[in-house]
Amino acid sequence: VHTASKGELTTVVTDDQHQFGLEAAYVRGPFSVQGEYIYLEADDDGDSDIEFHSVYVQGTYTLTGEMRPYDKKSGAFKGINPKGEYGAWELVARYEYADMDVDGKVDPGFDVYTLGVNWYANKNVRLSLNYLHTETDDIFGVSEEDDGDAITTRAQFIF
């Protein structure tokens, strides 16, 4: 397990570690929602105890009516295959949160809010545009708070 304090990276060797995760997804027509929660606790039988929580929730809605196919075997969504000649348009909203407590001393955390749109030109090409707002708290002891905004794009080609 790697931790940081005042900007210095530290490695902690743990004797005992517990992890738990829960994931769920729901699809109904052009609407889908999915989320995941992760918990980790580590202890080195000394002074170093680490506790980590993380969660995300994401919802999508396809304006052109296509459904996001879900593969039960892999536990993952597949890409959208557009019906019309102008592709498929999908709206996305996502919330992410993570928090870590290291020895009760360092408590970094962040929240990320995302709004986006995906255009599926065909089953092999997807273009994405996202707006992200991030709120941080004591990231690795470097700063108490450092919030920011970003616009991201992505071009995905599946062969």
Side-chain angles (χ1 to χ4, degrees):
V1 177
H2 298 284
T3 64
S5 177
K6 302 296 179 199
E8 297 178 20
L9 187 63
T10 304
T11 300
V12 177
V13 178
T14 61
D15 293 333
D16 190 22
Q17 180 174 311
H18 303 280
Q19 278 184 275
F20 172 77
L22 180 63
E23 184 177 26
Y26 175 78
V27 178
R28 182 158 181 104
F31 173 74
S32 73
V33 64
Q34 66 188 74
E36 183 175 20
Y37 172 76
I38 297 172
Y39 173 78
L40 169 82
E41 181 181 71
D43 182 15
D44 72 350
D45 289 334
D47 294 337
S48 298
D49 294 323
I50 299 169
E51 195 171 311
F52 175 78
H53 302 268
S54 175
V55 66
Y56 84 86
V57 178
Q58 175 177 300
T60 67
Y61 185 79
T62 309
L63 296 171
T64 49
E66 290 86 352
M67 185 174 100
R68 292 180 76 208
Y70 186 78
D71 185 351
K72 292 179 185 178
K73 288 184 180 180
S74 69
F77 283 101
K78 294 181 177 182
I80 290 176
N81 190 3
K83 295 179 198 175
E85 66 180 285
Y86 299 109
W89 290 89
E90 177 184 50
L91 300 177
V92 179
R94 181 179 173 107
Y95 170 73
E96 300 172 62
Y97 165 82
D99 181 63
M100 184 184 325
D101 181 28
V102 182
D103 298 332
K105 299 173 192 168
V106 179
D107 191 17
F110 66 84
D111 296 270
V112 180
Y113 304 87
T114 304
L115 293 175
V117 62
N118 294 318
W119 176 55
Y120 296 85
N122 55 50
K123 67 179 185 173
N124 297 320
V125 176
R126 178 177 85 168
L127 301 177
S128 301
L129 176 66
N130 295 302
Y131 164 75
L132 294 88
H133 174 73
T134 303
E135 298 175 359
T136 64
D137 183 31
D138 194 25
I139 295 295
F140 300 119
V142 175
S143 69
E144 290 185 17
E145 190 174 302
D146 191 16
D147 301 345
D149 298 295
I151 294 176
T152 64
T153 60
R154 176 178 177 184
Q156 180 177 348
F157 304 96
I158 301 170
F159 299 99

